[in-house]
Structures are given as structure tokens and as C-alpha cells.
């Protein structure tokens, strides 16, 4: 009898702490590395992202939507659906090329930023991005911080400053160096890997700022990319272009866990919505990647 009561208490305690750690996530930092194909992890040493993989859950088989181009994929990542539904179909779409299936109160296809603002009006929401094309892909009226600056060093400094001063509930970060070098020197070149290594160091600085802000134990960090690349371009169907990394760390997230489930870039929005307890709209086709959660 006593043993039964003891077992019940142990089970309750384990369950309580597992769900408690997930409930502790109050901040989500989504870092998008433009043009970083998943294959880079087999080609070079990336201490920060590799340590995130050890301390979190990851896949190197996540996929871009077609075409494997920038705007189509950044939109999908934030909007929980593919180009067929949100309508941003090309590399540089500034408005939907076909009508969005539905519009939210901001006159755009529903996105994480819009859902969070509606659900919790006092949230601190930021978008800090190197490529100005990102500026057309989120509802500006829903965000507190909308910053487009030149170069990933400036981006990183702005992100560090913002995290430490504002402790955002949701922050989208866009880093561009890797894509630029891919287009100029070529993907899968020494110059390209040097850019990926620089980017890894930038991500390290961002992680340290989260710790300095004192929110490390309540922050989920997700690193992914819009697409990879081949030769000096992307947009096609090769796996070098289509396969992107997807790495997540945070309280309640399984460690050293290779995700077996299929992940599409629109699942990123669905996963973030689940973490932030936002109701995903019916029009979204993304599904949360639930295997990342402990218990
Ligand atoms: Zn891109």
C-alpha cells in the first residue's frame, strides 16, 4: 500500500516536472540562416550549432517548399502553409502572386506574429533581418521592432541588444551572409563554408545574450534555413537546395534527439504556435513537431 502511494507520488512528480518545463517557455527566438543547406553539417565543424544539436532536437532532412527560393519559404516558415495557400510563390514576392486563401485582421495570410499579437496584445514581437524582402512577409502593425540592417554583424549586434533590453516573446532573426557568398563564390566552396562558420559564431553570440538576459531557462531557440543551394543558385529540386537544418533547444525539449518525423518549413510555424499556446488557424497545414517534447 505504502509502495503504491510512493509510486503514485513519483509518477505525479515526474509528469508534473515534464509538463512544467514545457509550460516554462515564454520566449521563442527563430533564427533563419539564408541559404544554409543541411549538407554543410557533413562538410565543416560548426561548434555552436553542433552543441545545440547535442543539447536539443534536430533534423538535417527538413524540407523547403517549392520553389526552393527565399520569399516563398520565409513566408511558409512564418505562415504555417505553403505558397499554394499564402500566395507568395517566388524568390522575391512582395505581395501574394495569387490571392491568399484567407486574410487576417492585418490584411495578410495568418502568421505567428499576427496570432501572438491577437492572443496576447502586450507581447514584445520583433523582426530583425538583413534582406529587405523579409519586410513584406509579416504584418508590420503586429510587431514592436521592425529592423532591416546591413550585414550580419550589424544584425547580430541589434539582436543581442534587443534580447537583453526587451526580452522578446517572439523574435525572428534573418542572417544573410551564407546566401550572399553562395550566390557569389558558389555553394559548397571554401568561401561558403567560411561564411557558415562566421554565422555559427553569430548564433553563439545570440545564445550568450539570451543567457545574459536571464531568460535561458524559459526560451526556445530554433535555427533553420529557407533553402540550400547548388553552384551559384537555388530554386530547383536537388536535395542540396531542398534539405535544410532544423535545430531546436529549450526547456522541456529532448536533448541529443535526432528527429525522425518529416518536417516541412511550414511545420516551423505550427511548432512555435504550439509552444506559445496559440490556436493554429484551420487554413494552416503545418503540424507541430511533437517528438521534440520530453515525456
Ligand atoms: Zn534565401
Amino acid at each position: 500500500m505504502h509502495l503504491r502511494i510512493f509510486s503514485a507520488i513519483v509518477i505525479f512528480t515526474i509528469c508534473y516536472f515534464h509538463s512544467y518545463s514545457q509550460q516554462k517557455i515564454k520566449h521563442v527566438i527563430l533564427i533563419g540562416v539564408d541559404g544554409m543547406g543541411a549538407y554543410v553539417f557533413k562538410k565543416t565543424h560548426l561548434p555552436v550549432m553542433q552543441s545545440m544539436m547535442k543539447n536539443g532536437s534536430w533534423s538535417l532532412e527538413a524540407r523547403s517548399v517549392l520553389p526552393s527560393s527565399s520569399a516563398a519559404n520565409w513566408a511558409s516558415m512564418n505562415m504555417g502553409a505553403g505558397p499554394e495557400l499564402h500566395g507568395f510563390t517566388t524568390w522575391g514576392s512582395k505581395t501574394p502572386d495569387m490571392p491568399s486563401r484567407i486574410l487576417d485582421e492585418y490584411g495578410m495570410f495568418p502568421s505567428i506574429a499576427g496570432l501572438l499579437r491577437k492572443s496576447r496584445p502586450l507581447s514584445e514581437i520583433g523582426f530583425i533581418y538583413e534582406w529587405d524582402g523579409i519586410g513584406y512577409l509579416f504584418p508590420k502593425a503586429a510587431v514592436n521592432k521592425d529592423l532591416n540592417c546591413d550585414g550580419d554583424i550589424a544584425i547580430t549586434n541589434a539582436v543581442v541588444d534587443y534580447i537583453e533590453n526587451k526580452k522578446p516573446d517572439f523574435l525572428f532573426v534573418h542572417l544573410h551572409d551564407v546566401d550572399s557568398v553562395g550566390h557569389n563564390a558558389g555553394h559548397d566552396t571554401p568561401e561558403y563554408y567560411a561564411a557558415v562558420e562566421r554565422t555559427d559564431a553569430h548564433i553563439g553570440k545570440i545564445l550568450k545574450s539570451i543567457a545574459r538576459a536571464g531568460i535561458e531557462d524559459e526560451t526556445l531557440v530554433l535555427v533553420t534555413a529557407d533553402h540550400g543551394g547548388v553552384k551559384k543558385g537555388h530554386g530547383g529540386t536537388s536535395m542540396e537546395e531542398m534539405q535544410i537544418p532544423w535545430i531546436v533547444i529549450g526547456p522541456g525539449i529532448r536533448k541529443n534527439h535526432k528527429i525522425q518525423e518529416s518536417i516541412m518549413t511550414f511545420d516551423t510555424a505550427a511548432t512555435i504556435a504550439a509552444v506559445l499556446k496559440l490556436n493554429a488557424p484551420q487554413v494552416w497545414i503545418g503540424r507541430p513537431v511533437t517528438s521534440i517534447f520530453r515525456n
Side-chain angles (χ1 to χ4, degrees), residues 12-89:
F12 172 80
T13 308
I14 291 170
C15 294
Y16 176 78
F17 278 108
H18 275 173
S19 60
Y20 177 71
S21 52
Q22 253 171 261
Q23 282 169 5
K24 271 180 72 179
I25 298 175
K26 292 179 185 157
H27 315 269
V28 172
I29 316 284
L30 171 58
I31 302 174
V33 181
D34 207 313
M36 181 169 69
Y39 66 89
V40 302
F41 287 84
K42 295 190 181 88
K43 299 278 193 125
T44 188
H45 180 54
L46 300 165
V48 173
M49 286 186 273
Q50 281 161 346
S51 119
M52 288 179 72
M53 290 159 86
K54 210 173 277 176
N55 290 309
S57 298
W58 56 275
S59 172
L60 298 179
E61 294 172 291
R63 289 195 184 189
S64 301
V65 298
L66 282 168
S68 57
S69 307
S70 298
N73 274 281
W74 295 123
S76 302
M77 191 187 294
N78 275 283
M79 294 177 174
E84 304 87 348
L85 288 165
H86 57 63
F88 295 88
T89 64

